[in-house]
Amino acid sequence: MNWKIAFALGAFSLAAVTTQASAADLAARPYTKAPPMIAAIYDWSGFYIGANGGYGSSRNCWDGTVGFPAGIAEGCHDATGAVAGGQIGYRWQSSAFVFGLEAQGDWADLSGRNASAVFGVANRTRVDAFGLFTGQVGYAWNNALLYVKGGAAVTSNRYRGIGTGGLAGAEFDGANDTRWGGTIGVGIEYGFAPNWSVGLEYDHLFMGRHDVTLTANGALAPVGTFSRTDRIGQDVDLITARINYRFGGPIIAKY
């Protein structure tokens, strides 16, 4: 029996030696470098569509030129109220700079009045719609964008003469007009999801001075009868909150 035990021990020792030699012959496991970090870069490029809402104030100054207020500065008033509408545009990004074109259209309810320097008369202005057609230049910090804009503006306006005293509250003449001017603005926008962003924007509209002819509405003279011509100057200030949905690829991965 001893020779069997010796033979088994010898075989076991030979196997152990062979295993160690084979392990020594194996090459060392190569070191693999961890993959580099990937920074997610928000991409502002693409078409977008959105909605906006906020507050507006329109400064309107009436100066009589023809008719009973000729040569009289009738005074100014602020027409204030809510605005709401939508916008559509396109942006393209080069490095951190963002360029864009945008069209915006809003319903408005900006209304105000003042007592005229002409006795017994008050003048009222209402801006009931406006549009902006602008170019943009901005700078992006990943998903935060600061931009300036400028271009053309258009407003839709209603002008009314209102009696005071014995005719208090009665409209006696009026006119409607659409006028074109310019606009400049500034905004900040934040991308809170791959294709969604929210923002806050301020715009100033330079609408100039236009001669507006008001006609009677039948209260004091036959409908359509010439009443007066006023040179009306107008500026508009807007503050709106915006939300946009952008079509296209949401994020670029940058190593």
Side-chain angles (χ1 to χ4, degrees):
M1 296 296 292
N2 292 334
W3 68 268
K4 292 182 178 180
I5 295 174
F7 179 79
L9 290 174
F12 178 78
S13 299
L14 180 61
V17 172
T18 303
T19 301
Q20 291 176 358
S22 297
D25 290 339
L26 292 175
R29 184 175 179 180
Y31 171 76
T32 303
K33 185 179 180 181
M37 296 294 292
I38 299 176
I41 303 301
Y42 196 88
D43 183 15
W44 289 94
S45 300
F47 287 98
Y48 64 90
I49 188 170
N52 70 80
Y55 174 83
S57 177
S58 172
R59 184 70 172 170
N60 300 273
C61 293
W62 295 44
D63 296 316
T65 58
V66 180
F68 69 84
I72 298 176
E74 295 194 64
C76 303
H77 57 264
D78 293 322
T80 61
V83 302
Q87 63 273 348
I88 186 171
Y90 180 80
R91 287 175 174 148
W92 59 97
Q93 184 168 353
S94 176
S95 185
F97 292 94
V98 179
F99 307 90
L101 297 171
E102 182 181 277
Q104 174 180 337
D106 279 49
W107 161 89
D109 185 18
L110 312 184
S111 183
R113 58 183 282 182
N114 71 285
S116 170
V118 177
F119 179 76
V121 174
N123 295 322
R124 182 173 69 196
T125 304
R126 179 182 175 188
V127 181
D128 55 21
F130 66 87
L132 306 178
F133 305 91
T134 56
Q136 299 179 2
V137 179
Y139 190 88
W141 293 267
N142 198 7
N143 60 333
L145 174 66
L146 178 67
Y147 62 89
V148 294
K149 61 188 293 186
V154 58
T155 58
S156 174
N157 308 287
R158 299 182 185 184
Y159 309 104
R160 298 293 185 267
I162 303 171
T164 60
L167 293 174
E171 294 184 0
F172 62 87
D173 66 2
N176 300 336
D177 85 342
T178 299
R179 66 172 65 191
W180 286 85
T183 181
I184 58 172
V186 61
I188 186 168
E189 200 163 331
Y190 178 78
F192 66 92
N195 293 84
W196 290 93
S197 60
V198 293
L200 189 66
E201 184 175 292
Y202 166 76
D203 298 288
H204 182 81
L205 282 58
F206 306 86
M207 305 312 297
R209 299 175 63 82
H210 289 201
D211 285 343
V212 179
T213 297
L214 289 79
T215 58
N217 64 6
L220 298 178
V223 175
T225 303
F226 171 80
S227 177
R228 53 181 167 148
T229 297
D230 268 66
R231 184 162 295 154
I232 302 175
Q234 182 182 79
D235 289 299
V236 183
D237 292 288
L238 304 167
I239 298 177
T240 53
R242 298 153 58 92
I243 185 168
N244 288 324
Y245 178 81
R246 181 176 48 80
F247 301 91
I251 292 178
I252 297 175
K254 184 176 182 181
Y255 289 85

